[in-house]
Amino acid sequence: MSSSSPSTFPSRPGQRILLGISAGIAAYKSALLARLLVQAGCEVQVVMTEGAQAFITPLTLQALTGRAVRTSLLDPAAELGMGHIELARWAERIVIAPATADLMARLSQGMADDLLTTLCLASDADKILAPAMNQAMWRNPATQRNACQLHQDGWTLLGPDQGDQACGDIGPGRMMEPEAIAAFLLGHTQVETPEETSPPLGSTQGQGIHIVITAGPTREPLDPVRYLSNHSSGKMGFALAEAAVASGARVTLIAGPVNLPTPAGVTRLDVESAVQMLDTAESLMDTCDIFIGCAAVADYRAESPAEHKIKKQDHQPELTLRLIKNPDIIATLAARPDSPVMVGFAAETRNVVAYAQDKLKRKGLDMIVANDVSAEQMQQGLGFGGDRNAATLIWRQGEDILTQDEPAQDKIQLASKVISQALKCLELSS
């Protein structure tokens, strides 16, 4: 959503907006939002939670809106005038910015334990919230379930944006900028609906579906202390598992040797080699609806790993290793007569899309995610080891092969789009 200067907003005299502010550091942005709305001709009534007042004072908002800020449900003076029920009826729109994880949890459960949540329950107004919280809090499955429930209850969610956060983290969770929120409220821009874009984290699109995901590298032993492997960190596969859980699916993650915490709600099975990964995956196929092969599986392994450490010989300047091909995990599973929807990954350094399309056809896959892992991309922090990635999604739709380019973005955002498209492929196959 693009931002605009106040002078470009269309005037909407008389639009009555109840601006709710909850206890987050982003509350300072709400002052600018209130000012922009007032400048555009809106009537703005601010309601603050008790915690919000620790971040910004009611007097500041009163000066910007020309209205006394409401903070308490049990305020005798306020109830003599515009009581909370009358205030709920007055509002044409309720906008909560910032909306903390705590407030979203209370709203999703229908609680009415302070003035703001009571007004939300008592009002038939359009309801909009702009989430703002630490990236880990936003990604937590509990928050995602609450976001999904609020969406189902009719709330419009604006954001969150991603980027630097006050705590020093980087990722999704930043409150959308006041100019962008004002632009939406004043009709300058629109928010894409779930039918127009991938469902946000928190969707229940995957309810009742079992998704099996492989992640990370494999290690192929040469001797007891050495192995063949690659640079895969496992971050993309773990992000896919996180996004799959957020979609409502049951998720089993087959992880190669990585140093990553298990996402909440995920069943994790650790393996080392390609053969172990294949054996584990095959044991899950009877209940699997979607298989996503995100692991960077070693193409070759030692024909006969040494029983003891291979010693360096001063008189032997060269060492010859005899390697044999590892099983092709995704092709093996795709060849099964009862194979689930098969999603592969193609990490290439050139001719990325062409090679990926060939792999899609050659291995009988339903979908493939093409990654450019060239040195130029790696220097930009994309791909192996980074927190961001860019990709091209390629999938079958009948006789057609469709593609969708995804620019550089946080891996959890890209993962959500991959999961969404994989679920659509499952729908097409049924």
Side-chain angles (χ1 to χ4, degrees):
M1 181 179 295
S2 61
S3 61
S4 305
S5 64
S7 61
T8 65
F9 294 150
S11 179
R12 297 286 183 89
Q15 186 177 176
R16 300 189 301 274
I17 296 178
L18 191 154
L19 175 58
I21 304 175
S22 62
I25 186 61
Y28 77 92
K29 295 183 179 181
S30 303
L32 177 56
L33 176 58
R35 178 174 175 270
L36 294 172
L37 295 175
V38 170
Q39 285 185 331
C42 300
E43 298 180 62
V44 179
Q45 173 63 58
V46 174
V47 174
M48 301 177 70
T49 66
E50 181 179 356
Q53 298 169 63
F55 294 91
I56 186 171
T57 66
L59 186 60
T60 300
L61 280 304
Q62 178 178 312
L64 292 170
T65 63
R67 291 173 174 268
V69 174
R70 296 288 301 274
T71 60
S72 175
L73 178 61
L74 305 176
D75 184 342
E79 292 300 310
L80 284 174
M82 184 185 289
H84 68 273
I85 296 299
E86 289 303 314
L87 183 54
R89 292 171 179 165
W90 171 87
E92 294 177 307
R93 277 178 156 173
I94 295 177
V95 182
I96 303 179
T100 61
D102 174 74
L103 182 65
M104 290 175 63
R106 290 189 287 129
L107 288 172
S108 70
Q109 297 301 312
M111 297 180 68
D113 54 353
D114 63 5
L115 178 59
L116 183 54
T117 53
T118 299
L119 290 171
C120 290
L121 277 186
S123 178
D124 293 325
D126 293 336
K127 297 181 178 70
I128 301 108
L129 57 81
M133 64 198 73
N134 167 267
Q135 55 85 23
M137 296 175 70
W138 170 250
R139 289 168 163 169
N140 189 283
T143 304
Q144 295 304 308
R145 288 193 298 272
N146 294 335
C148 177
Q149 184 61 56
L150 289 167
H151 175 74
Q152 292 177 341
D153 291 346
W155 284 82
T156 297
L157 274 67
L158 301 182
D161 286 343
Q162 67 165 350
D164 295 335
Q165 299 183 322
C167 60
D169 285 358
I170 299 175
R174 284 172 57 94
M175 181 176 127
M176 184 178 283
E177 293 304 315
E179 295 89 347
I181 297 173
F184 169 75
L185 296 173
L186 299 167
H188 188 69
T189 59
Q190 293 184 338
V191 169
E192 292 178 312
T193 66
E195 291 72 28
E196 296 169 332
T197 187
S198 301
L201 294 178
S203 166
T204 56
Q205 190 182 11
Q207 195 71 42
I209 292 168
H210 183 201
I211 300 178
V212 176
I213 300 168
T214 63
T218 61
R219 287 180 180 172
E220 310 301 331
L222 299 176
D223 63 22
V225 298
R226 300 183 181 92
Y227 54 82
L228 296 173
S229 192
N230 56 62
H231 293 295
S232 175
S233 66
K235 288 182 178 180
M236 190 68 226
F238 277 61
L240 286 165
E242 189 175 334
V245 166
S247 78
R250 178 166 67 92
V251 181
T252 303
L253 177 63
I254 305 173
V258 296
N259 186 28
L260 294 172
T262 306
V266 170
T267 299
R268 175 174 173 175
L269 304 174
D270 289 315
V271 298
E272 287 275 335
S273 69
V275 171
Q276 291 172 349
M277 186 171 282
L278 175 59
D279 289 344
T280 304
E282 286 186 315
S283 71
L284 299 169
M285 286 300 99
D286 288 344
T287 63
C288 177
D289 299 293
I290 298 173
F291 177 84
I292 303 178
C294 186
V297 181
D299 292 326
Y300 293 87
R301 69 182 188 275
E303 182 180 42
S304 299
E307 183 179 354
H308 300 287
K309 179 182 176 181
I310 300 173
K311 302 295 290 182
K312 180 175 66 175
Q313 303 292 334
D314 292 338
H315 65 279
Q316 189 177 22
E318 296 179 353
L319 174 67
T320 300
L321 297 174
R322 184 173 178 82
L323 304 179
I324 59 174
K325 287 188 71 172
N326 263 326
D328 188 323
I329 294 175
I330 199 159
T332 301
L333 299 178
R336 293 168 59 103
D338 58 346
S339 67
V341 167
M342 300 297 298
V343 181
F345 273 68
E348 305 289 350
T349 58
R350 58 191 177 94
N351 300 330
V352 176
V353 173
Y355 285 153
Q357 289 178 331
D358 175 69
K359 184 175 180 179
L360 176 83
K361 298 172 185 176
R362 181 165 39 85
K363 298 193 177 184
L365 308 182
D366 299 282
M367 176 180 166
I368 196 163
V369 181
N371 286 130
D372 184 344
V373 293
S374 62
E376 181 181 357
Q377 293 291 99
M378 299 288 282
Q379 288 170 2
Q380 298 178 36
L382 304 178
F384 290 137
D387 294 319
R388 290 166 60 77
N389 206 353
T392 299
L393 310 189
I394 306 169
W395 69 93
R396 298 178 186 271
Q397 188 164 305
E399 298 298 319
D400 298 324
I401 302 295
L402 305 182
T403 65
Q404 177 178 315
D405 290 329
E406 290 293 341
Q409 57 196 281
D410 190 90
K411 282 184 174 178
I412 188 64
Q413 292 180 306
L414 178 60
S416 182
K417 295 173 183 177
V418 172
I419 294 297
S420 176
Q421 187 56 54
L423 290 168
K424 290 177 183 176
C425 289
L426 178 61
E427 291 175 9
L428 291 172
S429 68
S430 60

